[in-house]
Amino acid sequence: MFKSLGMKLKALFGAKTYDEGFFEELEDTLIESDLGPRLSMEISDMVRQEAKSGKLKTHADFLRFVSDILKEKVAPWVYQPASSPQVFLVLGVNGVGKTTTIAKLAYHFHLQGKKVLLAAADTFRAAAADQLELHAERIGVRIVRQADGSDPGAVVYDAITSAQARHEDIILVDTAGRMHNKENLLRELQKIDKIIANKNISADSYKKFLVLDATTGQNALSQAELFHQAVKLDAVILTKYDSAAKGGTVIRIGEKLGLPIAYVGTGEKYTDLESFNAEKFLSDLVSL
Ligand SMILES: Nc1nc2c(ncn2[C@@H]2O[C@H](COP(=O)(O)OP(=O)(O)OP(=O)(O)O)[C@@H](O)[C@H]2O)c(=O)[nH]1
């Protein structure tokens, strides 16, 4: 899916003279792949140094070197069981695939034999809770919801109280992706965050995921910065990885915000969710 960067790097190396034109083109290619100007220049400079010392003789040497630089920037987030209930707050702007991702996670944990509860805390968008309820029925998990327009904090509070009473394992909280304005949205999310923290849920059992559409490039990075600033995220989930994702955004989120990637969505079915694998991601990205 990322063939374009790998192929461009291959074509570039075909010329094989490490002259100024080579490094300019290398930088342009990296920028086109959403790596951003600063990081692209940094990579290009590192390649220049390495090439000067005669270490990048073959195409494979060159790709391996670029891949190793990028590897430093991305990390996977790995699920760790912790005391129940574990609360996963799922955040993200409208249309990135939040509801679908929650359904996939519910399916995944339900298959593992865990008791999963969905909390419909997007009370702003009419029908958001209905959509979630449909998934809950299909998968066979419980859902806590209230009327449209009710307080999302109250939904989360109720969900945690009832999960604690029923000894349920995982609460997946769906949140609004849009409100009257951005400030309202972030304030509401901060309120939910505080309610969870005050509910005797330890840091190990409480994780905040931002869902990002992998095809949106620079926009995804700005969203990550905004949400991270508001509620201090734990990890990112990338959706639509099966579509035209360029991949560079993933690297920049890792590099700029130090956030690991937890899962990637690869389609619309419940089974289309994979744990993020950095090796596989990089070998796809640079076509190793
Ligand atoms: N190809 C592909 N499509 C996806 C993926 N994840 C979600 N989608 C699709 O993206 C669209 C939006 O997904 P939703 O889950 O409704 O998005 P949302 O973020 O919950 O949207 P709101 O509830 O409006 O905030 C749907 O058509 C999904 O089927 C994915 O990994 N790959």
Side-chain angles (χ1 to χ4, degrees):
M1 77 203 58
F2 299 125
K3 291 290 176 269
S4 59
L5 175 61
M7 273 159 54
K8 281 181 197 160
L9 290 178
K10 193 171 182 179
L12 185 59
F13 189 80
K16 234 195 195 156
T17 30
Y18 291 116
D19 55 13
E20 261 328 291
F22 177 94
F23 292 108
E24 261 171 40
E25 232 179 285
L26 173 60
E27 223 173 290
D28 289 347
T29 302
L30 296 169
I31 291 171
E32 275 167 30
S33 297
D34 279 349
L35 282 158
R38 196 187 46 73
L39 181 59
S40 299
M41 199 182 354
E42 185 188 317
I43 295 170
S44 173
D45 285 346
M46 288 169 87
V47 171
R48 191 195 303 264
Q49 287 303 318
E50 194 77 356
K52 243 190 221 162
S53 62
K55 287 185 195 147
L56 304 181
K57 288 198 178 64
T58 66
H59 175 234
D61 296 339
F62 169 60
L63 287 187
R64 169 58 61 195
F65 184 70
V66 173
S67 164
D68 284 348
I69 300 172
L70 298 178
K71 200 171 164 190
E72 301 281 305
K73 320 277 182 195
V74 285
W77 178 92
V78 180
Y79 170 74
Q80 303 280 359
S83 55
S84 295
Q86 284 182 278
V87 181
F88 292 164
L89 184 65
V90 183
L91 309 151
V93 302
N94 263 71
V96 288
K98 234 176 324 128
T99 310
T100 311
T101 301
I102 289 176
K104 289 174 181 176
L105 287 170
Y107 180 81
H108 168 78
F109 287 119
H110 177 68
L111 272 194
Q112 290 186 352
K114 295 196 188 294
K115 286 191 199 156
V116 178
L117 172 65
L118 304 186
D122 178 1
T123 57
F124 182 78
R125 184 171 72 84
D130 292 345
Q131 205 180 334
L132 204 65
E133 184 153 19
L134 206 66
H135 287 301
E137 276 167 17
R138 273 192 210 142
I139 298 165
V141 297
R142 209 163 70 81
I143 179 169
V144 165
R145 63 174 292 185
Q146 291 181 6
D148 288 345
S150 56
D151 176 10
V155 175
V156 175
Y157 189 93
D158 282 359
I160 296 176
T161 308
S162 79
Q164 283 169 333
R166 291 167 176 247
H167 303 290
E168 285 166 329
D169 302 307
I170 293 182
I171 308 175
L172 298 168
V173 183
D174 188 22
T175 58
R178 182 173 57 86
M179 286 209 152
H180 302 294
N181 59 47
K182 199 173 67 190
E183 288 69 34
N184 264 356
L185 174 67
L186 296 179
R187 210 172 311 123
E188 199 60 62
L189 298 175
Q190 285 169 332
K191 236 170 81 184
I192 295 176
D193 184 37
K194 216 173 260 167
I195 286 169
I196 299 172
N198 288 338
K199 256 316 222 162
N200 271 340
I201 306 287
S202 70
D204 282 349
S205 290
Y206 175 32
K207 301 294 168 198
K208 286 164 262 187
F209 296 104
L210 180 67
V211 178
L212 292 173
D213 178 337
T215 64
T216 56
Q218 171 63 35
N219 205 2
L221 184 67
S222 319
Q223 288 165 27
E225 283 176 321
L226 196 72
F227 280 84
H228 194 40
Q229 221 171 37
V231 294
K232 187 125 189 19
L233 301 166
D234 290 287
V236 162
I237 298 175
L238 290 165
T239 57
K240 312 185 194 181
Y241 201 68
D242 48 309
S243 310
K246 286 189 192 163
T249 311
V250 180
I251 309 266
R252 287 181 77 200
I253 288 168
E255 199 230 358
K256 233 178 149 194
L257 304 176
L259 286 172
I261 313 294
Y263 301 97
V264 291
T266 54
E268 300 185 54
K269 297 193 298 292
Y270 290 152
T271 46
D272 292 334
L273 185 77
E274 296 172 11
S275 293
F276 178 70
N277 178 331
E279 290 286 340
K280 183 172 176 293
F281 166 78
L282 286 169
S283 84
D284 277 353
L285 186 67
V286 303
S287 307
L288 273 181

